[in-house]
Tab-separated table of all heavy atoms in Angstrom:
chain	number	residue	atom	x	y	z
J	1	MET	N	79.783	94.147	23.644
J	1	MET	CA	81.185	94.058	23.285
J	1	MET	C	81.922	93.370	24.426
J	1	MET	O	81.687	93.685	25.589
J	1	MET	CB	81.752	95.450	23.056
J	1	MET	CG	83.207	95.457	22.753
J	1	MET	SD	83.654	97.021	22.026
J	1	MET	CE	85.367	96.752	21.774
J	2	ILE	N	82.775	92.450	24.090
J	2	ILE	CA	83.568	91.725	25.084
J	2	ILE	C	85.017	92.176	24.955
J	2	ILE	O	85.557	92.215	23.849
J	2	ILE	CB	83.473	90.210	24.884
J	2	ILE	CG1	82.019	89.747	25.030
J	2	ILE	CG2	84.369	89.475	25.867
J	2	ILE	CD1	81.791	88.297	24.696
J	3	GLY	N	85.622	92.520	26.085
J	3	GLY	CA	87.020	92.931	26.065
J	3	GLY	C	87.719	92.609	27.361
J	3	GLY	O	87.095	92.191	28.330
J	4	ASP	N	89.029	92.850	27.361
J	4	ASP	CA	89.803	92.528	28.563
J	4	ASP	C	90.537	93.736	29.144
J	4	ASP	O	91.317	93.583	30.076
J	4	ASP	CB	90.787	91.394	28.277
J	4	ASP	CG	91.803	91.729	27.204
J	4	ASP	OD1	91.671	92.774	26.539
J	4	ASP	OD2	92.743	90.934	27.021
J	5	ILE	N	90.268	94.925	28.624
J	5	ILE	CA	90.868	96.142	29.178
J	5	ILE	C	89.815	97.241	29.240
J	5	ILE	O	88.790	97.183	28.555
J	5	ILE	CB	92.106	96.603	28.369
J	5	ILE	CG1	91.744	96.845	26.911
J	5	ILE	CG2	93.245	95.603	28.496
J	5	ILE	CD1	92.890	97.412	26.085
J	6	ALA	N	90.075	98.239	30.068
J	6	ALA	CA	89.116	99.323	30.298
J	6	ALA	C	88.727	100.033	29.011
J	6	ALA	O	87.561	100.413	28.832
J	6	ALA	CB	89.687	100.310	31.309
J	7	SER	N	89.662	100.203	28.086
J	7	SER	CA	89.327	100.913	26.850
J	7	SER	C	88.333	100.126	26.001
J	7	SER	O	87.569	100.718	25.229
J	7	SER	CB	90.591	101.253	26.053
J	7	SER	OG	91.268	100.082	25.665
J	8	ASP	N	88.292	98.807	26.129
J	8	ASP	CA	87.290	98.003	25.426
J	8	ASP	C	85.895	98.315	25.972
J	8	ASP	O	84.933	98.452	25.213
J	8	ASP	CB	87.562	96.508	25.590
J	8	ASP	CG	88.849	96.051	24.940
J	8	ASP	OD1	89.318	96.717	23.992
J	8	ASP	OD2	89.392	95.021	25.388
J	9	VAL	N	85.795	98.429	27.282
J	9	VAL	CA	84.510	98.764	27.919
J	9	VAL	C	84.074	100.157	27.468
J	9	VAL	O	82.921	100.372	27.087
J	9	VAL	CB	84.615	98.684	29.454
J	9	VAL	CG1	83.336	99.181	30.113
J	9	VAL	CG2	84.919	97.256	29.893
J	10	GLU	N	84.985	101.095	27.487
J	10	GLU	CA	84.655	102.460	27.069
J	10	GLU	C	84.218	102.498	25.600
J	10	GLU	O	83.226	103.144	25.258
J	10	GLU	CB	85.856	103.375	27.268
J	10	GLU	CG	85.556	104.812	26.920
J	10	GLU	CD	86.718	105.739	27.178
J	10	GLU	OE1	87.692	105.340	27.855
J	10	GLU	OE2	86.653	106.878	26.693
J	11	ALA	N	84.921	101.798	24.734
J	11	ALA	CA	84.568	101.773	23.314
J	11	ALA	C	83.181	101.164	23.109
J	11	ALA	O	82.379	101.670	22.316
J	11	ALA	CB	85.609	100.990	22.519
J	12	GLY	N	82.898	100.090	23.829
J	12	GLY	CA	81.579	99.470	23.721
J	12	GLY	C	80.474	100.404	24.169
J	12	GLY	O	79.435	100.520	23.513
J	13	ARG	N	80.681	101.089	25.276
J	13	ARG	CA	79.674	102.029	25.765
J	13	ARG	C	79.467	103.180	24.780
J	13	ARG	O	78.352	103.590	24.520
J	13	ARG	CB	80.061	102.575	27.135
J	13	ARG	CG	79.884	101.579	28.244
J	13	ARG	CD	78.397	101.211	28.345
J	13	ARG	NE	78.196	100.152	29.285
J	13	ARG	CZ	77.637	100.332	30.478
J	13	ARG	NH1	77.219	101.505	30.848
J	13	ARG	NH2	77.495	99.306	31.273
J	14	ARG	N	80.553	103.694	24.223
J	14	ARG	CA	80.439	104.794	23.252
J	14	ARG	C	79.683	104.360	22.004
J	14	ARG	O	79.035	105.167	21.357
J	14	ARG	CB	81.813	105.316	22.878
J	14	ARG	CG	82.451	106.120	23.978
J	14	ARG	CD	83.842	106.570	23.606
J	14	ARG	NE	84.472	107.213	24.722
J	14	ARG	CZ	84.893	108.474	24.704
J	14	ARG	NH1	84.747	109.202	23.622
J	14	ARG	NH2	85.455	108.982	25.764
J	15	ALA	N	79.775	103.070	21.685
J	15	ALA	CA	79.059	102.528	20.531
J	15	ALA	C	77.621	102.144	20.873
J	15	ALA	O	76.872	101.700	20.012
J	15	ALA	CB	79.802	101.309	19.983
J	16	GLY	N	77.242	102.301	22.135
J	16	GLY	CA	75.881	101.978	22.555
J	16	GLY	C	75.660	100.516	22.880
J	16	GLY	O	74.519	100.052	22.922
J	17	CYS	N	76.748	99.785	23.122
J	17	CYS	CA	76.663	98.346	23.407
J	17	CYS	C	76.680	98.075	24.906
J	17	CYS	O	77.217	98.855	25.675
J	17	CYS	CB	77.869	97.628	22.812
J	17	CYS	SG	78.049	97.800	21.042
J	18	ARG	N	76.150	96.930	25.279
J	18	ARG	CA	76.411	96.410	26.610
J	18	ARG	C	77.808	95.811	26.558
J	18	ARG	O	78.273	95.408	25.490
J	18	ARG	CB	75.381	95.362	26.994
J	18	ARG	CG	74.030	96.011	27.245
J	18	ARG	CD	73.057	95.003	27.744
J	18	ARG	NE	71.956	94.962	26.792
J	18	ARG	CZ	70.923	94.171	26.904
J	18	ARG	NH1	70.842	93.316	27.898
J	18	ARG	NH2	69.968	94.197	26.024
J	19	THR	N	78.462	95.750	27.696
J	19	THR	CA	79.860	95.335	27.690
J	19	THR	C	80.134	94.212	28.679
J	19	THR	O	79.485	94.119	29.716
J	19	THR	CB	80.778	96.520	28.026
J	19	THR	OG1	80.409	97.051	29.293
J	19	THR	CG2	80.681	97.610	26.972
J	20	ALA	N	81.101	93.371	28.325
J	20	ALA	CA	81.565	92.309	29.209
J	20	ALA	C	83.072	92.466	29.360
J	20	ALA	O	83.788	92.577	28.366
J	20	ALA	CB	81.237	90.943	28.634
J	21	LEU	N	83.529	92.512	30.598
J	21	LEU	CA	84.946	92.605	30.892
J	21	LEU	C	85.442	91.231	31.322
J	21	LEU	O	84.850	90.611	32.202
J	21	LEU	CB	85.198	93.620	32.012
J	21	LEU	CG	86.650	93.777	32.454
J	21	LEU	CD1	87.491	94.381	31.329
J	21	LEU	CD2	86.737	94.630	33.708
J	22	LEU	N	86.514	90.759	30.703
J	22	LEU	CA	87.117	89.491	31.084
J	22	LEU	C	88.167	89.779	32.141
J	22	LEU	O	89.248	90.278	31.840
J	22	LEU	CB	87.745	88.807	29.870
J	22	LEU	CG	86.793	88.524	28.707
J	22	LEU	CD1	87.537	87.821	27.585
J	22	LEU	CD2	85.586	87.715	29.155
J	23	ALA	N	87.818	89.505	33.391
J	23	ALA	CA	88.705	89.753	34.535
J	23	ALA	C	88.094	89.084	35.753
J	23	ALA	O	86.894	88.824	35.797
J	23	ALA	CB	88.844	91.243	34.793
J	24	ALA	N	88.927	88.816	36.759
J	24	ALA	CA	88.414	88.229	37.999
J	24	ALA	C	87.470	89.202	38.696
J	24	ALA	O	86.469	88.808	39.265
J	24	ALA	CB	89.564	87.844	38.907
J	25	ALA	N	87.794	90.484	38.648
J	25	ALA	CA	86.960	91.546	39.221
J	25	ALA	C	87.342	92.847	38.529
J	25	ALA	O	88.493	93.030	38.138
J	25	ALA	CB	87.197	91.666	40.720
J	26	PRO	N	86.389	93.749	38.369
J	26	PRO	CA	86.716	94.999	37.694
J	26	PRO	C	87.607	95.873	38.573
J	26	PRO	O	87.504	95.817	39.797
J	26	PRO	CB	85.358	95.664	37.482
J	26	PRO	CG	84.511	95.117	38.566
J	26	PRO	CD	85.004	93.709	38.795
J	27	PRO	N	88.479	96.657	37.957
J	27	PRO	CA	89.238	97.615	38.761
J	27	PRO	C	88.258	98.544	39.474
J	27	PRO	O	87.233	98.912	38.905
J	27	PRO	CB	90.063	98.378	37.729
J	27	PRO	CG	90.073	97.517	36.512
J	27	PRO	CD	88.813	96.700	36.559
J	28	PRO	N	88.528	98.931	40.711
J	28	PRO	CA	87.563	99.729	41.473
J	28	PRO	C	87.239	101.076	40.851
J	28	PRO	O	86.185	101.636	41.099
J	28	PRO	CB	88.222	99.905	42.839
J	28	PRO	CG	89.589	99.371	42.720
J	28	PRO	CD	89.704	98.601	41.459
J	29	THR	N	88.116	101.598	40.011
J	29	THR	CA	87.877	102.917	39.429
J	29	THR	C	87.402	102.847	37.987
J	29	THR	O	87.360	103.858	37.310
J	29	THR	CB	89.165	103.764	39.493
J	29	THR	OG1	90.194	103.060	38.774
J	29	THR	CG2	89.587	104.005	40.914
J	30	LEU	N	87.045	101.674	37.487
J	30	LEU	CA	86.632	101.536	36.099
J	30	LEU	C	85.274	102.196	35.885
J	30	LEU	O	84.269	101.772	36.446
J	30	LEU	CB	86.568	100.057	35.716
J	30	LEU	CG	86.241	99.749	34.254
J	30	LEU	CD1	87.312	100.348	33.337
J	30	LEU	CD2	86.167	98.259	34.038
J	31	ARG	N	85.253	103.234	35.084
J	31	ARG	CA	84.024	103.946	34.731
J	31	ARG	C	84.061	104.261	33.257
J	31	ARG	O	85.059	104.779	32.788
J	31	ARG	CB	83.878	105.244	35.529
J	31	ARG	CG	83.659	105.015	36.992
J	31	ARG	CD	82.246	104.524	37.255
J	31	ARG	NE	82.083	104.165	38.648
J	31	ARG	CZ	81.763	102.957	39.062
J	31	ARG	NH1	81.565	102.006	38.218
J	31	ARG	NH2	81.618	102.694	40.329
J	32	PRO	N	83.037	103.943	32.513
J	32	PRO	CA	81.827	103.307	33.002
J	32	PRO	C	82.073	101.849	33.353
J	32	PRO	O	82.952	101.206	32.787
J	32	PRO	CB	80.864	103.413	31.822
J	32	PRO	CG	81.740	103.451	30.622
J	32	PRO	CD	82.997	104.158	31.056
J	33	ALA	N	81.286	101.375	34.287
J	33	ALA	CA	81.408	99.978	34.710
J	33	ALA	C	80.914	99.069	33.584
J	33	ALA	O	79.985	99.417	32.861
J	33	ALA	CB	80.577	99.737	35.964
J	34	PRO	N	81.521	97.900	33.424
J	34	PRO	CA	81.026	96.958	32.418
J	34	PRO	C	79.661	96.407	32.822
J	34	PRO	O	79.311	96.379	34.001
J	34	PRO	CB	82.081	95.848	32.420
J	34	PRO	CG	82.709	95.938	33.770
J	34	PRO	CD	82.657	97.373	34.172
J	35	THR	N	78.900	95.970	31.844
J	35	THR	CA	77.601	95.362	32.117
J	35	THR	C	77.770	94.077	32.915
J	35	THR	O	77.009	93.798	33.823
J	35	THR	CB	76.866	95.071	30.795
J	35	THR	OG1	76.816	96.273	30.024
J	35	THR	CG2	75.461	94.567	31.047
J	36	LEU	N	78.776	93.291	32.562
J	36	LEU	CA	79.070	92.088	33.335
J	36	LEU	C	80.570	91.848	33.358
J	36	LEU	O	81.295	92.324	32.500
J	36	LEU	CB	78.320	90.858	32.804
J	36	LEU	CG	78.697	90.221	31.477
J	36	LEU	CD1	79.858	89.254	31.636
J	36	LEU	CD2	77.515	89.459	30.934
J	37	VAL	N	80.992	91.111	34.372
J	37	VAL	CA	82.390	90.733	34.525
J	37	VAL	C	82.441	89.205	34.543
J	37	VAL	O	81.692	88.574	35.275
J	37	VAL	CB	82.994	91.295	35.835
J	37	VAL	CG1	84.433	90.837	36.008
J	37	VAL	CG2	82.897	92.811	35.857
J	38	ALA	N	83.303	88.638	33.713
J	38	ALA	CA	83.448	87.188	33.634
J	38	ALA	C	84.931	86.833	33.709
J	38	ALA	O	85.779	87.604	33.268
J	38	ALA	CB	82.843	86.661	32.340
J	39	ALA	N	85.226	85.669	34.251
J	39	ALA	CA	86.616	85.240	34.393
J	39	ALA	C	87.260	84.921	33.046
J	39	ALA	O	88.457	85.103	32.872
J	39	ALA	CB	86.699	84.024	35.306
J	40	ASP	N	86.454	84.439	32.091
J	40	ASP	CA	87.005	84.091	30.784
J	40	ASP	C	85.906	84.162	29.727
J	40	ASP	O	84.733	84.390	30.046
J	40	ASP	CB	87.656	82.701	30.810
J	40	ASP	CG	86.726	81.604	31.292
J	40	ASP	OD1	85.516	81.639	30.972
J	40	ASP	OD2	87.196	80.698	32.002
J	41	LEU	N	86.294	83.969	28.475
J	41	LEU	CA	85.343	84.099	27.367
J	41	LEU	C	84.223	83.067	27.451
J	41	LEU	O	83.068	83.377	27.167
J	41	LEU	CB	86.089	83.977	26.040
J	41	LEU	CG	85.283	84.241	24.780
J	41	LEU	CD1	84.636	85.622	24.810
J	41	LEU	CD2	86.163	84.101	23.553
J	42	ALA	N	84.544	81.855	27.875
J	42	ALA	CA	83.511	80.816	27.993
J	42	ALA	C	82.445	81.211	29.007
J	42	ALA	O	81.249	81.053	28.760
J	42	ALA	CB	84.142	79.477	28.364
J	43	GLU	N	82.871	81.744	30.159
J	43	GLU	CA	81.906	82.183	31.162
J	43	GLU	C	81.074	83.346	30.631
J	43	GLU	O	79.850	83.377	30.816
J	43	GLU	CB	82.612	82.610	32.449
J	43	GLU	CG	81.635	83.116	33.494
J	43	GLU	CD	82.301	83.718	34.718
J	43	GLU	OE1	83.515	83.555	34.911
J	43	GLU	OE2	81.566	84.373	35.478
J	44	ALA	N	81.715	84.292	29.961
J	44	ALA	CA	80.974	85.432	29.397
J	44	ALA	C	79.909	84.936	28.422
J	44	ALA	O	78.763	85.376	28.472
J	44	ALA	CB	81.929	86.390	28.707
J	45	ALA	N	80.272	84.003	27.556
J	45	ALA	CA	79.319	83.472	26.582
J	45	ALA	C	78.148	82.783	27.268
J	45	ALA	O	76.989	83.003	26.903
J	45	ALA	CB	80.030	82.504	25.638
J	46	ARG	N	78.431	81.971	28.289
J	46	ARG	CA	77.346	81.296	29.019
J	46	ARG	C	76.406	82.313	29.649
J	46	ARG	O	75.184	82.154	29.618
J	46	ARG	CB	77.915	80.382	30.106
J	46	ARG	CG	78.474	79.080	29.609
J	46	ARG	CD	78.769	78.118	30.749
J	46	ARG	NE	79.681	78.674	31.732
J	46	ARG	CZ	81.010	78.592	31.670
J	46	ARG	NH1	81.584	77.987	30.650
J	46	ARG	NH2	81.760	79.110	32.616
J	47	ARG	N	76.955	83.347	30.231
J	47	ARG	CA	76.123	84.333	30.910
J	47	ARG	C	75.349	85.198	29.935
J	47	ARG	O	74.223	85.599	30.212
J	47	ARG	CB	76.975	85.156	31.849
J	47	ARG	CG	77.512	84.208	32.930
J	47	ARG	CD	78.225	84.803	34.070
J	47	ARG	NE	77.613	85.978	34.582
J	47	ARG	CZ	78.317	87.049	34.947
J	47	ARG	NH1	79.629	87.057	34.849
J	47	ARG	NH2	77.704	88.099	35.425
J	48	ILE	N	75.924	85.477	28.788
J	48	ILE	CA	75.224	86.274	27.778
J	48	ILE	C	73.998	85.525	27.272
J	48	ILE	O	72.943	86.120	27.082
J	48	ILE	CB	76.177	86.662	26.633
J	48	ILE	CG1	77.169	87.718	27.144
J	48	ILE	CG2	75.409	87.173	25.423
J	48	ILE	CD1	78.334	87.978	26.225
J	49	VAL	N	74.113	84.226	27.093
J	49	VAL	CA	72.959	83.452	26.618
J	49	VAL	C	72.053	83.012	27.756
J	49	VAL	O	71.041	82.363	27.527
J	49	VAL	CB	73.375	82.245	25.745
J	49	VAL	CG1	74.106	82.709	24.507
J	49	VAL	CG2	74.188	81.252	26.516
J	50	GLY	N	72.418	83.358	28.984
J	50	GLY	CA	71.531	83.098	30.112
J	50	GLY	C	71.696	81.757	30.778
J	50	GLY	O	70.817	81.332	31.522
J	51	ASP	N	72.807	81.072	30.552
J	51	ASP	CA	73.008	79.753	31.147
J	51	ASP	C	73.717	79.795	32.501
J	51	ASP	O	73.926	78.762	33.109
J	51	ASP	CB	73.819	78.852	30.207
J	51	ASP	CG	73.019	78.477	28.976
J	51	ASP	OD1	71.783	78.595	28.999
J	51	ASP	OD2	73.645	78.065	27.989
J	52	SER	N	74.123	80.965	32.961
J	52	SER	CA	74.806	81.093	34.247
J	52	SER	C	74.215	82.264	35.015
J	52	SER	O	73.764	83.234	34.431
J	52	SER	CB	76.298	81.359	34.049
J	52	SER	OG	76.970	80.197	33.691
J	53	PRO	N	74.221	82.166	36.334
J	53	PRO	CA	73.705	83.270	37.144
J	53	PRO	C	74.608	84.489	37.054
J	53	PRO	O	75.775	84.398	36.679
J	53	PRO	CB	73.695	82.705	38.555
J	53	PRO	CG	74.721	81.626	38.540
J	53	PRO	CD	74.724	81.073	37.142
J	54	ARG	N	74.055	85.619	37.448
J	54	ARG	CA	74.829	86.853	37.440
J	54	ARG	C	75.855	86.843	38.558
J	54	ARG	O	75.765	86.067	39.493
J	54	ARG	CB	73.908	88.059	37.551
J	54	ARG	CG	73.246	88.268	38.891
J	54	ARG	CD	72.318	89.475	38.843
J	54	ARG	NE	72.267	90.214	40.072
J	54	ARG	CZ	73.147	91.103	40.492
J	54	ARG	NH1	74.200	91.370	39.768
J	54	ARG	NH2	73.004	91.741	41.627
J	55	SER	N	76.810	87.746	38.442
J	55	SER	CA	77.873	87.890	39.422
J	55	SER	C	77.616	89.121	40.282
J	55	SER	O	76.894	90.028	39.880
J	55	SER	CB	79.203	88.048	38.681
J	55	SER	OG	80.185	88.594	39.512
J	56	ASP	N	78.232	89.179	41.440
J	56	ASP	CA	78.126	90.367	42.289
J	56	ASP	C	78.733	91.592	41.622
J	56	ASP	O	78.449	92.713	42.008
J	56	ASP	CB	78.836	90.141	43.623
J	56	ASP	CG	78.111	89.120	44.476
J	56	ASP	OD1	76.895	88.904	44.257
J	56	ASP	OD2	78.759	88.534	45.351
J	57	HIS	N	79.577	91.381	40.597
J	57	HIS	CA	80.239	92.490	39.918
J	57	HIS	C	79.419	93.028	38.756
J	57	HIS	O	79.802	94.022	38.152
J	57	HIS	CB	81.611	92.055	39.406
J	57	HIS	CG	82.516	91.596	40.492
J	57	HIS	ND1	83.004	92.433	41.465
J	57	HIS	CD2	83.011	90.371	40.773
J	57	HIS	CE1	83.767	91.746	42.291
J	57	HIS	NE2	83.783	90.494	41.893
J	58	ASP	N	78.305	92.404	38.413
J	58	ASP	CA	77.508	92.826	37.272
J	58	ASP	C	76.778	94.129	37.550
J	58	ASP	O	76.304	94.382	38.651
J	58	ASP	CB	76.465	91.769	36.906
J	58	ASP	CG	77.084	90.502	36.367
J	58	ASP	OD1	78.298	90.507	36.100
J	58	ASP	OD2	76.348	89.524	36.224
J	59	GLU	N	76.650	94.923	36.510
J	59	GLU	CA	75.896	96.166	36.607
J	59	GLU	C	74.390	95.898	36.537
J	59	GLU	O	73.611	96.485	37.237
J	59	GLU	CB	76.311	97.095	35.457
J	59	GLU	CG	75.575	98.392	35.428
J	59	GLU	CD	75.997	99.224	34.252
J	59	GLU	OE1	77.028	99.879	34.302
J	59	GLU	OE2	75.252	99.191	33.254
J	60	HIS	N	73.963	94.987	35.640
J	60	HIS	CA	72.557	94.679	35.435
J	60	HIS	C	72.245	93.271	35.904
J	60	HIS	O	72.968	92.344	35.571
J	60	HIS	CB	72.211	94.788	33.949
J	60	HIS	CG	72.501	96.130	33.366
J	60	HIS	ND1	71.761	97.242	33.649
J	60	HIS	CD2	73.481	96.541	32.541
J	60	HIS	CE1	72.261	98.272	33.005
J	60	HIS	NE2	73.310	97.875	32.324
J	61	PRO	N	71.160	93.066	36.632
J	61	PRO	CA	70.843	91.727	37.115
J	61	PRO	C	70.304	90.801	36.026
J	61	PRO	O	70.383	89.608	36.158
J	61	PRO	CB	69.776	91.971	38.176
J	61	PRO	CG	69.201	93.294	37.858
J	61	PRO	CD	70.276	94.078	37.170
J	62	ALA	N	69.789	91.327	34.940
J	62	ALA	CA	69.182	90.484	33.911
J	62	ALA	C	70.239	89.979	32.929
J	62	ALA	O	71.236	90.629	32.694
J	62	ALA	CB	68.119	91.285	33.144
J	63	PRO	N	70.009	88.798	32.321
J	63	PRO	CA	70.928	88.314	31.283
J	63	PRO	C	70.950	89.274	30.105
J	63	PRO	O	70.008	90.040	29.891
J	63	PRO	CB	70.321	86.976	30.865
J	63	PRO	CG	69.341	86.625	31.892
J	63	PRO	CD	68.931	87.881	32.580
J	64	LEU	N	71.999	89.231	29.333
J	64	LEU	CA	72.132	90.124	28.180
J	64	LEU	C	71.308	89.682	26.996
J	64	LEU	O	71.063	90.459	26.097
J	64	LEU	CB	73.604	90.212	27.759
J	64	LEU	CG	74.518	90.868	28.767
J	64	LEU	CD1	75.946	90.828	28.248
J	64	LEU	CD2	74.107	92.289	29.021
J	65	ALA	N	70.885	88.433	26.949
J	65	ALA	CA	70.172	87.915	25.788
J	65	ALA	C	68.824	88.557	25.607
J	65	ALA	O	68.226	89.095	26.447
J	65	ALA	CB	70.003	86.402	25.910
C-alpha cells in the first residue's frame, strides 16, 4: 500500500501489506515503520519494481517485487 500519511502505513500493515510512505523521511516516531520511504510516487514505483536502490530509511533491504 502506498500512502502519504501515517494512517496509510497503519492501514496497510493491518491489511497485511508492505507499505510505502511518500515523504522525504519518515517521522521519527512512526510505528509501524513503512517498508520503504520514497520522495514521490514515481520513485516508489521504480523501487517497488526493483529499478532503484534501497534507501537508508527502508525497513527491508530487498525490493518489494
